[in-house]
Amino acid sequence: MKLNLLAILLLVQGFVFAQNKPTLIPYPQEVKWNEGQFELSNNTTLFVEDENFDTNHFINEIKFQTGIVLQVVQNSEEATILFSQTNDIKEEEGYRLAVTENSIQLKAKTTKGIINGSVSLLQLVGSTLEVPAVVIDDAPKFAWRGMMLDVSRHFFDVETIKSYLDLMAHYKMNKFHWHLTEDQGWRIEVKQYPQLTENSAYRTEKDGTRYGGFYTQEEIKEVVAYATKRGIEVIPEIDMPGHMVAALASYPEFSCTGGPFEVQTEWGVHEDVLCAGNERTYEFVQNILDEIMPLFPSKYMHIGGDECPKARWKECPKCQGKIKAEGLEDEHELQSYFIKRVEKMVNANGKKMTGWDEILEGGLSETATVQLWRDFHDKDAVRKIAEMGNDVIVSPTGMCYFDYDIVTTDVKQVYNYQPVPSDLAKEKHHHVLGGECTVWTERIPDNARLDFMVFPRIIAFSEALWVGQKQGFDNFAERLEKEYTYLDSKGVEYGPSSKVLDVEILNHIGELKVQAQALIEGVTLKYKKPSSEVFVDYNEAIEVKETGKIIIQGFRNGKAYGDPVSSNFVMHLANQANIELSTAPSKPYHKAGVEGLIDGRLGFESKFSDESWIGFNGEDVTATLTFDVPTSISAIQLRAYDEVGSWIMAPKEVEVLYSKDGKKYKSANKFKTDAISSDGDVLIYNWEGLSKAKAIKSIKIIYTNGGPLPKGHLGAGKPAWLFIDEIIIQ
């Protein structure tokens, strides 16, 4: 078959048009591209029928993107761009956008629909003056498209919150869940309890500095009003009855023990909680909620309810008395009793209570909304909650926790997020409201790191909740690539979309090399040796000849891309040994393998999930190192991780033994661990002065597991993880 010249030209033009389509994220439900385009100019007129729509913001965004200043007119007849309301659009957040060569018309039922349509128009405009002719009929798949931000571990000011509300609106996210209280800081003014902001909003860090901050009630109102203009509902969270140590630091009389307490500096779960047996505690909660809830027009009030240890309640006469007086079975039913009483307070203010999925413990009211996070706890939990008749917001750790690094949760994983279980009956689907990406800030200390962790993953999340996976990931990835120009224009310091590079340590008879590979197209690698301050191009495996860090960094378009991979080396004799373990490492913490204990690379001191640490769940481990040639030893250093908040405990005991023949062993030293850290510490065991340890054939290191998780821990009684890394022999 032959094609004539005109047909070829039409095909080429069609291909070019397809390649140059504006980026639409999240992609609309229905898009029909037409020929031609609307030309923007300083003479373009705008009329907005909806008085609640923030016209100035839209005009400013058009100016920011194009330099064009739209002219606002007083009636629709004069307008070439017309935003109008109509009951013809049935969905609350739906809209119809029609662009022709002569006009742009946006129709919606509600202000939120107008906002959503205006965002699509801004994306169509991009940075050009030509808006392609198109008809878009659109509405979201899920009503709840949220982001939760924890401002208690690290505080973010009003301007940062506003900038995130702008970005959320640009991707049609509509719920901002504001996590305002924690053990590490109380962030909202309560005038009846001034010490909550004078004292509980600040903590004294380990270096003696004072850290913290809070929002006044006027600032809260300012943020809520700003969010409303962006079509975003603000849901406050006051976490209770656990995660309340900051409040108890000022008002210890509402605890089981009476204190004293300090605002916590360590992350994790803490035993001291509100006393559920004290009637004055409920008065305290009532007063706080009655003062806070009117600041938020949202029909929802989040009361947390997660990670509440029961140790204090078990020992508290008031709590035990309450259990007996109310005919409760145990402390779990006491938590349910507490939650149900608080729910009545929430309902009395005309709101619905929502909480993390621990509010299920001991029984749940029919009207509570559950936010599920523990997908590891019960894979069928969403279905079970919906079948109970309760609404559920789906925020599983495996896809929605943006404090997890990109290696753990990448953009593709987030894009494939589907909140509705495949085995949930269709008539129950309405109970799955949607989902939230959650941003816990233990390791997010500033705005730059916040951007890095949230973007671009939140963009994939927005599309998953708006339209699902209709376009396919490859199509989304192409659009995302173009979207970085917009993020750059807004100064967003985004992170990578997936793991940037792989690093492997090669150990051949004690000769160490670092081998790296870029995993993303367009990324080049550079590295820096311990004795250098300058990055140089990576071309081949790097020989390790000195103690210190070799840092490898990905670069894209001339800018650092992703986190650098730092390999901290110690030159020592174990590099030349053979090693065996009595117990195989547990998945998924086995990437380093057995050789990872003697490859010369130290694990990160702030991150147990890096590839150098290896983990064992509830088991003792014996490492046996054998030298081909008998070796004199002067010192041994061992390392273990301790972070009980992450279910990791340092070994209860470490014993070092040595043998001159590889058969008979003599105990050299034992180390015992008493301290437990919630914050993540590397414990180092040093054995020195081995003047008699000459001509050693073999070394045994016996690590005794830390035992069951301690009383009061969320997993109390369950086996702890043991994490170890480099065995350093000098």
Side-chain angles (χ1 to χ4, degrees):
M1 180 179 69
K2 293 184 179 180
L3 294 173
N4 62 36
L5 181 59
L6 178 60
I8 293 172
L9 287 173
L10 289 173
L11 280 173
V12 171
Q13 287 174 353
F15 175 75
V16 171
F17 179 70
Q19 292 294 99
N20 294 323
K21 282 180 184 176
T23 301
L24 291 171
I25 300 179
Y27 203 77
Q29 298 288 352
E30 295 181 24
V31 181
K32 182 183 178 183
W33 299 102
N34 295 317
E35 293 184 13
Q37 60 270 328
F38 179 91
E39 299 284 345
L40 275 178
S41 74
N42 287 318
N43 296 319
T44 301
T45 53
L46 169 69
F47 179 77
V48 179
E49 192 175 87
D50 184 354
E51 293 181 357
N52 294 318
F53 178 75
D54 192 344
T55 302
N56 287 334
H57 175 69
F58 177 76
I59 290 171
N60 289 337
E61 286 298 293
I62 290 286
K63 182 180 179 182
F64 173 80
Q65 291 181 193
T66 67
I68 292 295
V69 178
L70 300 177
Q71 303 301 310
V72 177
V73 293
Q74 300 306 309
N75 59 71
S76 58
E77 288 78 13
E78 299 176 22
T80 48
I81 301 179
L82 173 62
F83 293 178
S84 61
Q85 288 183 290
T86 175
N87 288 326
D88 292 341
I89 306 295
K90 302 303 180 186
E91 296 86 355
E92 286 296 307
E93 293 189 83
Y95 66 92
R96 189 170 209 264
L97 178 63
V99 180
T100 69
E101 292 181 353
N102 301 315
S103 68
I104 297 176
Q105 293 196 21
L106 169 61
K107 296 181 179 181
K109 179 181 179 180
T110 66
T111 302
K112 287 186 177 181
I114 294 288
I115 291 169
N116 290 330
S118 72
V119 168
S120 290
L121 180 53
L122 287 169
Q123 292 183 353
L124 287 171
V125 169
S127 59
T128 73
L129 304 183
E130 298 177 348
V131 187
V134 68
V135 177
I136 296 175
D137 287 291
D138 199 14
K141 185 175 182 179
F142 292 99
W144 196 291
R145 307 178 305 282
M147 170 185 164
M148 186 226 76
L149 180 62
D150 161 24
V151 296
S152 294
R153 274 52 175 260
H154 283 99
F155 181 69
F156 295 90
D157 62 20
V158 167
E159 290 310 307
T160 300
I161 303 299
K162 286 182 176 180
S163 71
Y164 263 73
L165 292 169
D166 284 340
L167 290 164
M168 287 176 65
H170 189 76
Y171 297 106
K172 301 187 177 76
M173 305 283 283
N174 67 346
K175 309 288 183 185
F176 178 60
H177 172 176
W178 210 352
H179 187 86
L180 290 162
T181 66
E182 265 298 342
D183 297 311
Q184 294 80 17
W186 184 281
R187 303 294 179 221
I188 183 169
E189 179 186 24
V190 182
K191 293 179 180 178
Q192 190 167 347
Y193 298 102
Q195 284 297 309
L196 288 175
T197 44
E198 291 174 18
N199 177 49
S200 297
Y202 299 91
R203 61 180 182 254
T204 302
E205 301 284 34
K206 292 178 181 178
D207 63 1
T209 59
R210 193 168 184 249
Y211 178 88
F214 66 93
Y215 308 103
T216 66
Q217 292 191 7
E218 289 307 308
E219 287 175 323
I220 293 289
K221 292 176 185 176
E222 180 185 341
V223 168
V224 169
Y226 192 89
T228 302
K229 286 185 175 182
R230 302 292 174 268
I232 296 171
E233 182 179 349
V234 181
I235 298 98
E237 180 183 352
I238 307 297
D239 205 346
M240 62 182 84
H243 291 289
M244 286 290 281
V245 176
L248 296 177
S250 296
Y251 299 95
E253 61 268 32
F254 303 117
S255 71
C256 291
T257 67
F261 307 103
E262 293 183 354
V263 180
Q264 288 294 301
T265 59
E266 292 191 343
W267 319 131
V269 179
H270 298 276
E271 287 192 0
D272 290 294
V273 301
L274 290 177
C275 179
N278 184 352
E279 278 301 306
R280 289 192 61 216
T281 297
Y282 297 97
E283 180 184 340
F284 178 62
V285 171
Q286 178 84 64
N287 292 339
I288 289 171
L289 292 179
D290 285 351
E291 191 170 327
I292 284 176
M293 283 193 283
L295 302 174
F296 298 90
S298 171
K299 68 177 182 179
Y300 291 94
M301 177 71 213
H302 203 300
I303 57 87
D306 63 312
E307 297 180 326
C308 179
K310 310 299 190 290
R312 295 290 187 250
W313 291 355
K314 287 180 180 179
E315 298 171 354
C316 173
K318 289 181 180 178
C319 289
Q320 292 303 308
K322 181 68 72 176
I323 289 172
K324 185 176 181 180
E326 297 294 334
L328 306 175
E329 185 174 328
D330 56 18
E331 290 75 22
H332 292 290
E333 285 200 2
L334 179 60
Q335 171 153 336
S336 178
Y337 170 83
F338 179 96
I339 296 297
K340 287 176 180 177
R341 281 193 65 170
V342 173
E343 183 176 20
K344 289 178 181 177
M345 302 175 195
V346 172
N347 294 158
N349 279 269
K351 296 182 185 292
K352 291 186 69 174
M353 184 196 76
T354 184
W356 301 104
D357 57 70
E358 285 94 333
I359 65 174
L360 292 162
E361 295 173 5
L364 183 67
S365 79
E366 295 178 358
T367 57
T369 298
V370 180
Q371 184 163 6
L372 179 121
W373 69 281
R374 296 182 299 173
D375 55 336
F376 56 83
H377 186 262
D378 183 354
K379 296 297 182 185
D380 296 321
V382 174
R383 176 180 58 76
K384 290 176 182 176
I385 295 166
E387 288 176 347
M388 286 166 53
N390 291 86
D391 290 342
V392 56
I393 303 156
V394 187
S395 301
T397 58
M399 290 185 174
C400 298
Y401 269 46
F402 288 0
D403 52 311
Y404 287 15
D405 64 28
I406 200 70
V407 176
T408 306
T409 307
D410 65 18
V411 163
K412 188 172 185 178
Q413 245 176 295
V414 175
Y415 176 83
N416 286 321
Y417 163 79
Q418 299 183 49
V420 178
S422 59
D423 58 350
L424 179 64
K426 195 167 184 179
E427 62 269 20
K428 299 289 186 180
H429 281 200
H430 67 281
H431 284 302
V432 181
L433 302 183
E436 274 182 16
C437 56
T438 58
V439 189
W440 302 102
T441 59
E442 288 94 334
R443 293 181 174 88
I444 303 178
D446 52 37
N447 290 10
R449 194 64 189 177
L450 181 62
D451 284 356
F452 185 94
M453 299 302 286
V454 173
F455 286 90
R457 289 187 284 193
I458 196 171
I459 302 176
F461 195 65
S462 75
E463 179 143 333
L465 284 168
W466 185 273
V467 71
Q469 293 75 33
K470 286 169 67 172
Q471 299 300 311
F473 180 73
D474 290 344
N475 177 285
F476 171 78
E478 288 180 14
R479 285 180 283 125
L480 178 60
E481 195 63 35
K482 298 176 184 177
E483 192 66 10
Y484 290 126
T485 302
Y486 175 78
L487 296 181
D488 286 335
S489 74
K490 289 293 185 179
V492 178
E493 299 182 60
Y494 50 87
S497 59
S498 60
K499 187 178 180 181
V500 175
L501 59 102
D502 257 335
V503 172
E504 183 181 4
I505 308 304
L506 307 178
N507 186 350
H508 180 63
I509 318 177
E511 293 181 1
L512 296 176
K513 289 185 178 182
V514 181
Q515 183 170 278
Q517 178 185 5
L519 301 177
I520 296 177
E521 187 176 346
V523 170
T524 59
L525 304 180
K526 295 187 177 184
Y527 73 95
K528 184 168 64 175
K529 287 187 174 183
S531 57
S532 174
E533 294 298 319
V534 179
F535 279 102
V536 297
D537 292 338
Y538 173 86
N539 295 310
E540 59 184 0
I542 309 157
E543 291 187 23
V544 181
K545 293 187 176 293
E546 56 186 321
T547 293
K549 291 182 180 179
I550 291 179
I551 302 172
I552 303 177
Q553 173 71 64
F555 285 83
R556 195 177 190 193
N557 299 325
K559 294 169 60 177
Y561 189 63
D563 281 328
V565 175
S566 176
S567 300
N568 195 4
F569 289 96
V570 175
M571 299 295 97
H572 61 94
L573 298 176
N575 301 151
Q576 302 167 26
N578 300 302
I579 183 169
E580 292 181 357
L581 295 183
S582 62
T583 307
S586 303
K587 292 181 179 180
Y589 306 108
H590 66 303
K591 293 178 182 177
V594 177
E595 296 294 327
L597 292 175
I598 58 170
D599 64 3
R601 182 167 63 160
L602 304 183
F604 284 133
E605 294 190 358
S606 60
K607 185 178 173 185
F608 65 84
S609 59
D610 87 322
E611 295 184 0
S612 291
W613 291 100
I614 60 175
F616 307 83
N617 190 220
E619 297 183 283
D620 301 337
V621 181
T622 299
T624 304
L625 284 72
T626 305
F627 295 94
D628 292 333
V629 177
T631 303
S632 295
I633 295 172
S634 60
I636 296 178
Q637 185 182 96
L638 309 170
R639 292 158 49 93
Y641 207 84
D642 189 31
E643 188 176 344
V644 71
S646 296
W647 299 45
I648 301 168
M649 290 174 62
K652 187 182 299 181
E653 182 179 277
V654 179
E655 183 175 11
V656 179
L657 305 96
Y658 64 92
S659 171
K660 296 192 175 187
D661 60 5
K663 297 177 182 178
K664 296 180 180 179
Y665 286 85
K666 182 177 181 180
S667 180
N669 206 344
K670 287 184 180 180
F671 305 91
K672 294 185 181 295
T673 304
D674 297 319
I676 296 175
S677 168
S678 297
D679 200 15
D681 285 330
V682 175
L683 300 187
I684 298 174
Y685 309 88
N686 287 305
W687 178 42
E688 297 177 346
L690 310 180
S691 57
K692 296 180 181 179
K694 296 179 180 178
I696 299 301
K697 179 69 175 175
S698 186
I699 295 283
K700 277 187 188 290
I701 316 291
I702 301 173
Y703 301 89
T704 303
N705 184 273
L709 290 160
K711 186 178 178 181
H713 191 280
L714 184 64
K718 294 183 179 179
W721 282 83
L722 168 68
F723 273 78
I724 58 176
D725 79 334
E726 199 71 10
I727 299 170
I728 302 169
I729 299 179
Q730 304 289 3

